[in-house]
């Protein structure tokens, strides 16, 4: 139960009591002037009649002198008169004198109200203060079971020159019926508010952060604020419980909403338009812009029909700046993604045309020279020439396929670095041995210069070689006979301690590129027209692969080119300095194939053609070959064979029933220790570095990639068999 302290204007009863008491205090003066007893008695009777009249309004009236601390009763009903003396000092207002007349839950508020020590402060600037409470004094009457609602009031009578309160009138009066009517109205209003809030559950369930919510109650022709931002309330002057909906909303629109968006509100102003829309839609919303403090904000106005029958509806506003910003950012990303996808699609479409030409060219050579080979079996010179050309076309086709696969693998972020200690002279030797013969055969001058201080560094040899092969292949392809290609490797300081930077500069005097194409050099599938016009084969993937590999190795690449003058490519790669020298592996020594005679290989290969090729190559060097069509058969054959029957297993990876990885794990877990430790070498089209790592993880001893490089096969078999 709440209790309200309220300022109250002079009511009829209060004013009458005030002036009657004033008349009594002037009695002596009147008697002195009249000097006639009958006249005095007449005046006194008149005053007493007025006191009697106000006593019918007030339960009690006391005159209190704050200077002397004295009070006296002017009038009281019988029960008050019996409970409180008709005169005395402030001590007579002790709780025990009247607590039996007040409901316990109201007692603290009443005691604070009759505290004379704070009365002067509480009545500053006020003529009257009041308190409503429940009294038990007149309880028991029908409809008054809980008590009688009573109002106590202090009325200013006199202040001194300094404005301090000196004399007051204290009154109590019954307000029970009025209070019950007020409570009934409040209860109905509370129910209306509760209904509106409940009917706004759709809004609340969406957890929308509405900063202002208004409810329009159609029956009263007014609106009420359910939840209103203080700033907006002050701005619109919403200092009353009910206000005119049309007036306040139009003031909001004309003052805050930017002019271009005001027409959006014309659909919902006046109220009749809003009701027409909400009767059909039940819910209506729109986005508009408002301007506060020079800043434009995006807002949402949401209107929901709360009660169709009663024609009550709710209007809510919320700031959607952040949502709008995120939506716009998302749209920009979608637009950018669309443009990128469109460009990528164009590039790939262009690539398909180029690839069709690039793949068909070596395939045409292979098919054509194969047909010529069949017709010229008896001419050894032509036969060897055709075989060499078929081999050359094979290498081009394999290069195209490898580049496409490598680009796909890089784009899927499945490439990892595998750094080992590398000697710079080996790095240069690899470049020399790979390209010098090609350059000289084409009539190109080829210079290689190295100037490094730290000879041994950590490097991913495979990826570094791939970068240089792609760059030098382009220099070779796009430089005409009589031109020059040079490679310069220099060591420069690195910012990170313990590291050095290798700067590799490749310069050619080839056909060069247009300045407008250089920025697109690293775009996938891009090739300048002049390269295709010049009948130079390629996929347009070499340099994109180079760029991605250089980025993977935390390096940088820069290209400068002029059409008709040549191209310069500068690659900067950081390398961690190695503390010990790398052991040099001697390569190039002639192999003695007689050591393979009598060795038995178990070949696990599901493809008949691949099995036939491998069998022919291996048997030609003295191996005995037995074939298993899948991994499970391979394991069974090894289990059933006598000890030391097989010397080595060549294992394909992609096989039915049991793949090569699974078969290798099963073999390593065999109970027979000799069989469990048999050498296993992967010979598979799974040719990437990650495939090699997986093979070793499953217990294999070597890894050979298809198509088979015959020299690499036999070199690996020598190392694995340790013969």
């Amino acid at each position: 139960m709440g209790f309200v302290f309220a300022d109250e204007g002079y009511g009829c009863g209060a004013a009458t009591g005030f002036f009657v008491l004033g008349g009594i205090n002037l009695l002596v003066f009147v008697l002195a002037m009249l000097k006639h007893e009958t006249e005095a008695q007449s005046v006194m009777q008149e005053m007493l009649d007025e006191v009697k009249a106000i006593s019918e309004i007030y339960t009690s009236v006391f005159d209190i002198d704050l200077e002397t601390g004295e009070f006296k009763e002017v009038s009281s009903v019988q029960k008050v008169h019996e409970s409180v003396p008709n005169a005395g000092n402030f001590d007579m207002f002790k709780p025990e004198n009247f607590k039996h007349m007040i409901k316990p839950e109201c007692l603290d508020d009443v005691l604070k109200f009759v505290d004379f020590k704070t009365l002067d402060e509480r009545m500053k600037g006020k003529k009257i203060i009041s308190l409503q409470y429940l009294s038990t004094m007149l309880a028991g009457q029908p409809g008054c079971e809980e008590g009688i609602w009573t109002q106590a009031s202090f009325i200013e009578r006199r202040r001194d020159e300094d404005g301090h309160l000196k004399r007051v009138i204290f009154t109590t009066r019954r307000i029970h019926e009025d209070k019950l009517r007020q409570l009934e109205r409040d209860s109905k209003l509370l129910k209306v508010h509760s209904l509106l809030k409940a009917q706004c559950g759709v809004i609340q369930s969406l957890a929308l952060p509405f900063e202002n919510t208004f409810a329009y109650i159609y029956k009263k022709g007014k609106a009420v604020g359910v939840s209103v931002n203080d700033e907006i309330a002050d701005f619109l002057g919403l200092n009353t419980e009910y206000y005119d909906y049309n007036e306040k909303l139009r003031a909001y629109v004309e003052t805050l909403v930017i002019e271009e968006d005001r027409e959006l509100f014309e659909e919902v102003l006046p109220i009749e338009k809003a009701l027409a829309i909400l009767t059909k839609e039940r819910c209506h919303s729109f986005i508009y812009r408002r301007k506060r403090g020079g800043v434009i904000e995006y807002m949402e106005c949401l209107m929901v029909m709360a009660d169709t029958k009663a024609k009550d509806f709710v209007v809510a506003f919320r700031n959607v700046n952040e949502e709008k910003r995120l939506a716009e950012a998302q749209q920009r990303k979608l637009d950018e993604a669309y443009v990128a996808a469109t460009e990528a699609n164009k590039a790939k479409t262009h690539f398909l045309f180029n690839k069709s030409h690039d793949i068909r060219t070596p395939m045409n050579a292979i098919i054509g020279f194969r047909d010529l080979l069949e017709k010229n079996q008896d001419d050894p010179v032509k036969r060897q020439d055709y075989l060499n050309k078929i081999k050359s076309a094979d290498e081009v086709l394999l290069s195209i396929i490898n580049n496409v696969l490598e680009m796909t693998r890089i784009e899927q972020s499945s490439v990892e670095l595998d750094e080992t200690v590398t000697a710079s002279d080996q790095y240069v030797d690899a470049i020399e041995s790979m390209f010098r013969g090609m350059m000289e055969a084409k009539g190109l001058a080829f210079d290689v210069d190295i100037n490094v201080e730290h000879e041994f560094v950590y490097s991913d040899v495979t990826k570094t070689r791939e970068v240089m092969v792609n760059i030098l292949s382009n220099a070779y392809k796009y430089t005409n006979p009589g031109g020059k290609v040079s490679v310069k490797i220099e060591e420069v300081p690195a910012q990170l301690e313990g590291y050095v930077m290798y700067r590799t500069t490749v310069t050619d005097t080839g056909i060069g590129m247009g300045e407008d194409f250089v920025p697109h050099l690293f775009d996938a599938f891009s090739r300048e027209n002049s390269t295709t016009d010049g009948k130079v084969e390629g996929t347009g993937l070499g340099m994109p692969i180079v760029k991605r590999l250089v980025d993977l190795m935390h390096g940088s690449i820069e290209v400068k080119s002029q059409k008709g003058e040549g191209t310069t490519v500068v690659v900067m790669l950081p390398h961690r300095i190695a503390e010990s020298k790398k052991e040099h592996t001697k390569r190039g020594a002639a192999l003695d194939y007689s050591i393979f005679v009598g060795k038995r290989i178990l070949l696990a290969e599901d493809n008949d053609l691949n099995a036939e090729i491998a069998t022919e190559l291996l048997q030609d060097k003295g191996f005995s070959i037995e074939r298993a069509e899948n991994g499970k058969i391979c394991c069974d054959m090894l289990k059933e064979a006598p000890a030391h029957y097989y010397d080595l297993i060549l294992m394909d990876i992609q096989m039915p029933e049991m793949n090569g990885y699974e078969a290798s794990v099963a073999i390593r877990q065999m109970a027979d220790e000799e069989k469990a430790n048999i050498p296993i070498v992967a010979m598979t089209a799974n040719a990437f570095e990650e495939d090699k790592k997986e093979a070793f993880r499953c217990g294999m001893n070597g890894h050979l990639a298809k198509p088979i490089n015959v020299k690499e096969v036999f070199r690996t078999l020598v190392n694995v068999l340790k013969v």
Side-chain angles (χ1 to χ4, degrees), residues 202-211 300 302 317-318 323:
V202 174
I203 302 171
Q204 295 170 356
S205 67
L206 294 175
L208 298 175
F210 292 101
E211 64 175 34
E300 179 186 15
L302 175 64
F317 302 90
R318 71 185 182 106
E323 292 180 26

Side-chain angles (χ1 to χ4, degrees), residues 457-500:
V457 294
Y458 284 91
S459 173
D460 188 320
V461 179
T462 302
K463 294 178 179 59
T464 304
R465 183 184 295 120
E466 188 171 357
V467 168
M468 294 311 302
V469 165
N470 274 292
I471 295 173
L472 284 170
S473 293
N474 283 342
Y476 168 80
K477 287 189 291 186
Y478 298 124
T479 303
N480 294 323
K484 180 179 180 181
V485 176
S486 61
V487 180
K488 185 176 183 180
I489 303 173
E490 305 170 276
E491 179 181 320
V492 296
Q495 294 181 349
L496 192 61
E497 185 177 354
Y499 281 75
V500 294

Side-chain angles (χ1 to χ4, degrees), residues 660-677:
Y661 295 140
E662 295 168 341
S664 296
V665 172
I667 291 171
R668 295 304 183 219
Q669 294 174 349
M670 285 184 176
D672 188 324
E673 187 174 345
E674 293 294 332
K675 293 180 180 179
N677 291 319

Side-chain angles (χ1 to χ4, degrees), residues 30-91:
V30 172
L31 291 175
M33 294 295 292
L34 293 176
K35 296 182 181 180
H36 296 286
E37 184 177 353
T38 55
E39 293 182 7
Q41 288 176 349
S42 177
V43 171
M44 177 62 75
Q45 185 60 46
E46 185 179 347
M47 297 299 183
L48 291 175
D49 289 342
E50 292 191 19
V51 170
K52 183 179 179 180
I54 67 170
S55 67
E56 295 177 2
I57 301 173
Y58 289 96
T59 309
S60 63
V61 179
F62 290 90
D63 180 23
I64 301 173
D65 190 331
L66 297 178
E67 287 187 301
T68 63
E70 298 291 331
F71 74 92
K72 59 183 177 181
E73 178 187 282
V74 177
S75 69
S76 293
V77 297
Q78 186 61 32
K79 287 189 177 183
V80 174
H81 187 75
E82 292 173 354
S83 301
V84 181
N86 61 1
N89 56 36
F90 292 163
D91 292 338

Side-chain angles (χ1 to χ4, degrees), residues 4-10 122-131 151 153:
V4 181
F5 287 87
D7 295 339
E8 184 178 33
Y10 289 112
R122 285 184 285 134
M123 290 192 68
K124 277 187 177 179
K126 301 174 183 177
K127 293 290 185 180
I128 183 172
I129 61 173
S130 300
L131 170 70
Q151 178 172 290
S153 302

Side-chain angles (χ1 to χ4, degrees), residues 521-540:
L521 180 62
F522 301 120
D523 295 343
F525 314 119
S526 63
R527 295 178 65 192
E528 192 178 28
N529 289 336
S530 60
T531 62
T532 54
D533 293 342
K535 299 182 180 180
V536 179
E537 297 170 341
T539 61

Side-chain angles (χ1 to χ4, degrees), residues 184-200 215-220 222-224 226 241-242 306-307 310 312-314:
E184 184 179 3
R185 288 195 304 270
D186 291 346
S187 177
K188 289 181 179 179
L189 182 59
L190 181 62
K191 288 179 181 178
V192 170
H193 285 184
S194 299
L195 179 62
L196 288 172
K197 289 181 180 179
Q199 291 172 332
C200 290
Y216 170 70
I217 303 173
Y218 182 73
K219 290 179 181 178
K220 296 186 178 181
K222 297 288 184 179
V224 60
V226 177
E241 188 172 11
Y242 292 97
D307 189 335
D312 297 337
F313 63 87
V314 175

